[in-house]
Amino acid sequence: MLLAGLKVVEMSTWIAGPGAAMILGEWGADVIKVEGPEGDAIRRFYPDTAEMPGNPIFSMENRGKRAVALDVYSPPGRAALIEILKGADVFITNLRPGALARTRLDYASLKDELPALIYAVVTGFGLEGDEADRPAFDLTGFWTRTGIAASTIPPDQEPFTCRPGFGDHVTALATVSGIMAAVYERQTTGKGRLVEASLLRAGVYALGWDTSIHLRHGESITAQPRSERPGVASGYFRTADDRYVCVAPRGPACVPAVFRGLGLSHLLEDPATAPPYADLATARKVRGLVDAAFATLTLEEAGAMLTDGDLIWAPMSTLDDVVVDPQIRAAGCFVATPDNFGGAFEAPATPIRFPGLDIEPRRPAPGLGQHTREVLQEAGLPPEMVETLAREAEAREVAYAPLQR
């Protein structure tokens, strides 16, 4: 495996931090997930039971890990975590900076005792500034605060939210890239370092095309109502079978190609309707003709026409389409994930493929505290301390009812 021998300790909840650790684990690292006795909050979604095995949400972010339950806010629990970290290469956490400082588990408190440890912290808003300790989800820190929502949602529409985990997974990938850079650096220096990732910084980077234009020229390019867009052959078009096809011209020559494919070549011969268009009124008129032409074709027919013209296009797929899409399967987008009851279920794969290597989950997502004794023993804690810490955590574990969805 690519990262065999790399030991990762992850103390985080929800998606961005756990997701980064899951990717490292899928690539071969030994990942230990440290939770409080209450467990990661996403355990409450689609709970893993014999009747419905395989929690898809928790497994997506935590498959392949070993789980330890510790109260790190107590002196014995914190001491146990330090012993685990002494054998680790990477520590990933998304606890808020204030909580980390109060428990002396922040980077400043650990760097001298654990100089080779790569310490990756995932926050909403970064480690500096007045809002560094504010709580955040990707909906607030990534989607809304960074300008993505305002740039994506046309001003004539009510604002809508991003899908759960959308920005978290971008941030998870950014966290992985930072960790791997620090791992490479440590091969030369022998020293660890602080790796800082945030929803805010990942969101600004994700919107980098628009933001860079604004920084340089002061222009704010945002999504506009369809009637206000000058492009007559780009965007979404409804087909005869009530589906949508997305067309993305890559240059001026693509517009005539769309016209010819739709049987609208006459628009190219009339100066009043030939591109480019100097006013929106003409663009609206021509787009209406393009809309009407697409509406006579099924999605399959429209796709064949666009493919014949070497145009960039895609069907607007539903998840029902995605799970049976032969190209998505050929690209290796799904992986069989074991559950805790001897079966397996399909789940999204990690986003990178290594041809020649079979990258798949080695074990199911762990139960809360499932490996507490095993990991504490490996860390060299005395047997009586192992048993005390394990029993204390077990006594405080909370059995959550499923959240309403």
Side-chain angles (χ1 to χ4, degrees):
M1 295 292 284
L2 294 162
L3 300 182
L6 189 76
K7 188 170 184 177
V8 178
V9 176
E10 172 240 308
M11 186 175 68
S12 54
T13 62
W14 291 94
I15 298 173
M22 183 278 288
I23 293 172
L24 296 175
E26 207 107 309
W27 295 351
D30 176 18
V31 180
I32 297 168
K33 182 179 183 70
V34 177
E35 300 171 83
E38 70 283 357
D40 191 328
I42 62 172
R43 286 185 179 277
R44 290 177 283 172
F45 294 85
Y46 301 92
D48 197 10
T49 64
E51 294 72 28
M52 184 58 70
N55 179 332
I57 305 300
F58 186 75
S59 293
M60 175 69 204
E61 318 303 338
N62 295 283
R63 63 198 188 210
K65 302 176 185 178
R66 294 189 288 166
V68 173
L70 282 177
D71 178 9
V72 299
Y73 295 95
S74 71
R78 181 189 181 280
L81 176 61
I82 297 301
E83 293 303 312
I84 296 172
L85 290 175
K86 286 179 180 178
D89 301 290
V90 178
F91 180 45
I92 301 173
T93 183
N94 66 359
L95 269 66
R96 287 156 65 181
L100 291 168
R102 287 191 296 273
T103 55
R104 294 180 296 111
L105 290 172
D106 56 318
Y107 179 68
S109 298
L110 298 182
K111 64 179 182 177
D112 292 336
E113 185 176 2
L114 304 168
L117 183 68
I118 294 166
Y119 187 110
V121 60
V122 183
T123 68
F125 302 104
L127 292 176
E128 300 179 13
D130 293 341
E131 299 178 62
D133 205 38
R134 280 187 59 190
F137 280 144
D138 64 341
L139 172 60
T140 57
F142 177 94
W143 176 257
T144 305
R145 184 68 178 273
T146 63
I148 294 177
S151 297
T152 302
I153 305 168
D156 64 333
Q157 294 186 29
E158 182 178 347
F160 54 82
T161 63
C162 64
R163 297 307 302 154
F166 187 84
D168 287 311
H169 283 149
V170 176
T171 306
L173 288 172
T175 305
V176 169
S177 66
I179 289 170
M180 295 315 300
V183 169
Y184 181 82
E185 178 194 43
R186 195 181 64 172
Q187 292 178 350
T188 301
T189 66
K191 296 180 180 179
R193 70 157 53 249
L194 177 64
V195 176
E196 177 192 345
S198 68
L199 295 169
L200 199 67
R201 187 158 176 159
V204 169
Y205 176 78
L207 194 66
W209 176 293
D210 293 322
T211 308
S212 62
I213 292 172
H214 188 81
L215 287 168
R216 183 67 182 89
H217 296 294
E219 299 177 18
S220 294
I221 302 173
T222 61
Q224 293 299 313
R226 197 166 188 270
S227 62
E228 302 299 313
R229 299 172 194 168
V232 299
S234 63
Y236 293 91
F237 299 91
R238 189 190 294 268
T239 60
D241 46 352
D242 203 27
R243 298 293 302 275
Y244 280 95
V245 61
C246 178
V247 184
R250 57 180 175 269
C254 294
V255 176
V258 172
F259 286 179
R260 287 190 289 270
L262 291 172
L264 299 175
S265 297
H266 62 279
L267 297 177
L268 303 172
E269 301 164 2
D270 185 345
T273 55
Y277 304 105
D279 61 88
L280 277 175
T282 302
R284 292 189 191 108
K285 176 183 176 181
V286 173
R287 191 186 304 112
L289 296 172
V290 173
D291 284 341
F294 268 111
T296 67
L297 303 175
T298 65
L299 178 62
E300 183 177 358
E301 292 168 341
M305 178 272 292
L306 294 165
T307 297
D308 288 344
D310 195 31
L311 294 159
I312 297 174
W313 72 279
M316 191 173 81
S317 297
T318 66
L319 289 181
D320 285 336
D321 301 320
V322 169
V323 298
V324 297
D325 188 320
Q327 187 56 49
I328 286 177
R329 291 192 170 274
C333 295
F334 304 127
V335 65
T337 301
D339 60 34
N340 273 306
F341 298 89
F345 58 97
E346 282 195 319
T350 57
I352 303 298
R353 188 179 236 180
F354 302 95
L357 287 179
D358 292 326
I359 302 294
E360 58 185 22
R362 291 168 291 165
R363 57 169 67 94
L368 177 58
Q370 181 178 343
H371 305 95
T372 299
R373 290 174 174 81
E374 174 184 312
V375 171
L376 294 181
Q377 289 167 359
E378 290 176 2
L381 274 68
E384 61 276 11
M385 187 176 182
V386 170
E387 196 60 29
T388 297
L389 289 168
R391 287 185 175 179
E392 285 179 353
E394 289 166 355
R396 293 179 53 197
E397 288 177 6
V398 177
Y400 286 108
L403 291 180
Q404 295 296 316
R405 301 192 296 273

